[in-house]
Amino acid sequence: MLRIIFLGTGGSLPTRNRNPSAVIINFKGELLLFDCGEGTQQQMMRAKTGMMSLSSIFISHFHADHFLGIPGLIQTMSFLGRKEPLTIYGPEGTKEFTEFFKILGYCNLKYEVRGVELSPGDIVEGKDYVVRALRTEHSIPSLGYALIENPRPGRFNRARAVGLGVPPGPLFAKLQKGSPVEVDGKIIMPEEVVGAPRPGRKVIYTGDTRPCEEVLEASRDADILIHDGSFADEMADWAGESMHSTAGEVAALAKEAGVRKLVLTHVSSRYTDDVEPILKDSKKVFENVIVAEDLMELEVPYRPD
Amino acid sequence: MLRIIFLGTGGSLPTRNRNPSAVIINFKGELLLFDCGEGTQQQMMRAKTGMMSLSSIFISHFHADHFLGIPGLIQTMSFLGRKEPLTIYGPEGTKEFTEFFKILGYCNLKYEVRGVELSPGDIVEGKDYVVRALRTEHSIPSLGYALIENPRPGRFNRARAVGLGVPPGPLFAKLQKGSPVEVDGKIIMPEEVVGAPRPGRKVIYTGDTRPCEEVLEASRDADILIHDGSFADEMADWAGESMHSTAGEVAALAKEAGVRKLVLTHVSSRYTDDVEPILKDSKKVFENVIVAEDLMELEVPYRPD
């Protein structure tokens, strides 16, 4: 399973119906949280994501709308009896913020929370995935993130294996896992029956940023690009000044990178009830785009071979 | 107008439908906020209270569920162009917390926010009201608050004034404001036509506390007592240990104090979908009680003379 749950899709100003930034990815049962705006813990309750499978929080930058939900969330998990450690990743400042969150409000956390500062290019290795930190362009130290599933084994050519005399059963599994097998004194190599490894799925989360080179490169062939889409093109000047992006700019980047699907988020409060201007400006350039909504869920399937 | 808007009525653990603690009082157009849990700014948007008329925040104590909404709220008001100063009142620690909230997340507030530490008995004088800090009993430094409207002038005895020869018009108003008037060479004293001053309305907000003496005394003849009602009586032991109150305990206090209406809040997550146990235990002792819900509003009328 690779399921994306949008918990907060608002911009710097939350609105009635848009929480500040937070996106959860359920990767095969493990929860990874990208940004954690105020109210994230309640959004997790509303989305029924659970909390105890949360292994890591990746913060894009330390503007209030991207992290104020952390102290409440980590304290709630402590109340609920969490014992497993939790890691908060982010740009410079993450360690200091984390130490502060842990004690805020006379709190005495009952599990380990550690802050880890990343630089662009740094890799966090997970179970069957990596998260790579990306250089983004915002007004304060910031990072984007690429979640990249480990490559899957190639497709198993069953007919071929049978043709080579391999009996269906445990030997199939052995070959599929990359080990040679012996049948009637003949060695069968995995390459003979298993195709080339297939790339895993890839999801990019930018946080707040101008459209930029490193996000473009990381987004090549991404399954999902979740990008700052604060404004419609009419606000291009302000998007530049405030170091955000317009829908048209991001659509052009998505097109160039060949992403499968673009999701625009961090929607400015001016569009909270009508995202049509954002959608229109992006669709002009790139058809497969949606504007995120709070509690929207997106399953990311494997690409057809 | 004296209108109470319950923004967050949950306990230490928020739930899907109960935000952490926050109560707004709209006193004749001025907004006073009592506690400010995570998500308060969005609850203000949902309740359409506005933000710019907020003059003060009174924090009962610095447990996370009572103050984590402050940094987001004060930064949002800055974004929205607020220029008027704001005061945050609370127990010891308030000054330090306030200074921290003001800069959290690379923030540069565009208006003045100051923290003021109160001790039990301290009075904050407002326009036509005072707020008095009350000693409460919780596990960390804590305060409750009594909002007391200034006394209203006594009732004007119109028939009597006419009988004394005062012509209806400006002289009526003068007498009502407490000045003597002269009619046909005769001095009429205000006491002759105006009754004794009538007490203003009184609302008590306890924050988290055991039932205690100072709250009882302050609640005598209160119009509304908003009290920690975390638990039904079945949880009496835990209520004592965690320094909260049970419904039955609070009902007894409300009865002894002769309050007009009791509102129980800070509802433990175990009752989030069914407050019947809390309601039942309090009704046994004191009939005029309700359990608060998020976004519930309560108008406080003057008592009939």
Side-chain angles (χ1 to χ4, degrees):
Chain A
M1 184 209 294
L2 201 173
R3 179 185 290 265
I4 305 172
I5 303 129
F6 293 84
L7 299 176
T9 63
S12 312
L13 287 177
T15 64
R16 263 182 307 105
N17 50 1
R18 290 189 185 270
N19 257 62
S21 291
V23 172
I24 249 187
I25 297 186
N26 182 330
F27 184 82
K28 301 178 181 176
E30 178 182 350
L31 300 181
L32 309 174
L33 179 58
F34 293 84
D35 282 335
C36 183
E38 184 179 350
T40 294
Q41 58 166 327
Q42 274 185 294
Q43 291 294 81
M44 290 173 77
M45 292 168 185
R46 293 181 184 119
K48 298 187 167 62
T49 62
M51 286 181 179
M52 294 316 188
S53 303
L54 180 66
S55 63
S56 325
I57 303 177
F58 296 87
I59 297 297
S60 65
H61 65 299
F62 285 94
H63 273 150
D65 54 320
H66 292 258
F67 74 88
L68 282 182
I70 294 177
L73 174 59
I74 65 179
Q75 293 192 25
T76 287
M77 289 191 289
S78 187
F79 271 123
L80 293 174
R82 180 179 180 123
K83 293 281 172 274
E84 298 71 30
L86 174 79
T87 309
I88 300 176
Y89 298 97
E92 60 184 84
T94 299
K95 274 185 182 171
E96 202 182 330
F97 274 110
T98 300
E99 290 314 307
F100 183 76
F101 296 152
K102 286 158 70 170
I103 54 162
L104 193 58
Y106 299 84
C107 177
N108 184 12
L109 282 189
K110 302 213 166 47
Y111 64 102
E112 187 197 354
V113 176
R114 62 189 191 120
V116 174
E117 299 184 1
L118 300 176
S119 301
D122 283 354
I123 297 270
V124 174
E125 289 201 31
K127 190 172 170 341
D128 210 16
Y129 69 83
V130 299
V131 173
R132 186 152 63 83
L134 307 174
R135 183 183 311 281
T136 53
E137 294 179 10
H138 198 47
S139 51
I140 59 169
S142 65
L143 290 174
Y145 297 100
L147 169 70
I148 305 166
E149 183 178 26
N150 291 351
R152 289 187 297 155
R155 188 165 283 281
F156 187 75
N157 190 330
R158 187 185 165 88
R160 185 131 187 218
V162 170
L164 286 167
V166 186
L171 295 185
F172 272 33
K174 217 173 157 191
L175 281 163
Q176 205 155 20
K177 280 179 188 151
S179 306
V181 302
E182 186 178 334
V183 180
D184 298 334
K186 195 177 63 173
I187 303 292
I188 318 278
M189 298 301 289
E191 302 84 73
E192 298 180 69
V193 293
V194 180
R198 292 167 291 177
R201 290 163 291 187
K202 181 158 76 167
V203 178
I204 311 293
Y205 176 80
T206 66
D208 295 4
T209 185
R210 293 288 302 144
C212 62
E213 192 57 28
E214 199 162 316
V215 168
L216 169 65
E217 289 310 319
S219 299
R220 294 206 184 274
D221 297 319
D223 293 272
I224 305 282
L225 168 59
I226 304 167
H227 201 292
D228 175 336
S230 297
F231 301 110
D233 294 352
E234 65 191 0
M235 298 292 292
D237 287 354
W238 177 238
E241 234 179 283
S242 61
M243 301 297 278
H244 289 290
S245 301
T246 72
E249 292 170 335
V250 180
L253 183 150
K255 189 179 177 188
E256 188 178 344
V259 308
R260 282 175 81 191
K261 192 187 196 84
L262 169 62
V263 185
L264 296 171
T265 188
H266 200 267
V267 178
S268 161
S269 57
R270 74 189 64 216
Y271 307 108
T272 195
D273 289 324
D274 179 17
V275 297
E276 199 49 38
I278 292 180
L279 209 52
K280 210 182 73 204
D281 288 344
S282 47
K283 287 228 181 214
K284 271 188 243 162
V285 182
F286 185 81
E287 182 55 34
N288 199 6
V289 57
I290 54 176
V291 177
E293 283 175 20
D294 278 25
L295 303 182
M296 182 180 92
E297 304 202 3
L298 214 57
E299 188 71 44
V300 185
Y302 285 107
R303 295 188 184 216
D305 288 335
Chain B
M1 184 207 295
L2 201 173
R3 179 185 290 267
I4 305 173
I5 305 132
F6 294 84
L7 299 176
T9 62
S12 311
L13 287 178
T15 64
R16 264 182 308 104
N17 49 1
R18 289 189 187 269
N19 258 60
S21 291
V23 171
I24 250 185
I25 296 186
N26 182 331
F27 184 82
K28 301 179 181 176
E30 178 183 350
L31 299 180
L32 309 175
L33 179 57
F34 293 84
D35 283 335
C36 183
E38 184 179 351
T40 294
Q41 58 167 326
Q42 275 187 293
Q43 290 294 80
M44 290 173 78
M45 293 168 186
R46 293 183 184 117
K48 297 189 169 60
T49 62
M51 286 180 181
M52 293 318 188
S53 303
L54 181 66
S55 63
S56 324
I57 303 177
F58 295 86
I59 298 297
S60 64
H61 65 298
F62 285 94
H63 274 150
D65 55 318
H66 292 258
F67 75 88
L68 282 181
I70 294 178
L73 174 60
I74 64 179
Q75 293 192 25
T76 287
M77 289 193 288
S78 188
F79 271 123
L80 293 174
R82 180 177 181 124
K83 293 281 173 273
E84 298 70 30
L86 175 79
T87 308
I88 300 175
Y89 298 97
E92 61 182 83
T94 298
K95 274 186 180 171
E96 202 182 332
F97 273 110
T98 300
E99 289 314 307
F100 184 77
F101 296 153
K102 286 159 70 170
I103 53 161
L104 193 60
Y106 299 86
C107 177
N108 185 12
L109 281 189
K110 302 216 165 44
Y111 64 103
E112 188 198 352
V113 176
R114 60 190 193 121
V116 175
E117 299 184 2
L118 301 176
S119 301
D122 282 353
I123 297 270
V124 174
E125 289 202 31
K127 189 175 170 340
D128 210 16
Y129 67 84
V130 299
V131 173
R132 185 152 62 83
L134 307 174
R135 184 183 311 280
T136 53
E137 293 178 10
H138 196 46
S139 50
I140 59 170
S142 65
L143 291 173
Y145 297 99
L147 168 70
I148 305 164
E149 184 179 26
N150 290 351
R152 290 186 297 153
R155 188 165 284 280
F156 187 76
N157 191 332
R158 190 185 163 86
R160 185 135 188 216
V162 170
L164 288 167
V166 185
L171 294 185
F172 272 33
K174 218 173 156 187
L175 281 163
Q176 204 155 19
K177 282 181 186 148
S179 305
V181 302
E182 185 178 335
V183 178
D184 299 334
K186 193 176 68 172
I187 302 292
I188 318 278
M189 298 302 288
E191 302 83 74
E192 297 180 68
V193 293
V194 180
R198 294 168 290 175
R201 292 163 290 186
K202 179 156 77 164
V203 177
I204 311 292
Y205 176 80
T206 65
D208 296 3
T209 185
R210 293 288 303 144
C212 63
E213 192 58 29
E214 197 160 318
V215 167
L216 169 66
E217 288 310 320
S219 299
R220 294 205 184 275
D221 296 320
D223 292 271
I224 305 282
L225 168 59
I226 304 167
H227 200 292
D228 176 337
S230 297
F231 302 109
D233 294 352
E234 63 191 1
M235 299 290 294
D237 288 352
W238 176 237
E241 232 178 286
S242 60
M243 302 296 277
H244 289 289
S245 300
T246 71
E249 291 170 336
V250 180
L253 182 149
K255 188 179 178 186
E256 187 177 347
V259 307
R260 281 175 81 193
K261 190 186 195 81
L262 169 63
V263 184
L264 296 171
T265 188
H266 200 267
V267 178
S268 162
S269 57
R270 77 188 62 216
Y271 308 107
T272 194
D273 289 324
D274 179 16
V275 298
E276 199 49 41
I278 292 179
L279 208 53
K280 209 183 73 205
D281 288 344
S282 47
K283 287 225 182 218
K284 269 187 245 163
V285 183
F286 185 80
E287 183 56 33
N288 197 6
V289 57
I290 54 176
V291 177
E293 282 175 21
D294 278 24
L295 303 182
M296 183 180 92
E297 304 200 3
L298 215 57
E299 188 72 43
V300 185
Y302 286 107
R303 295 185 186 220
D305 288 335

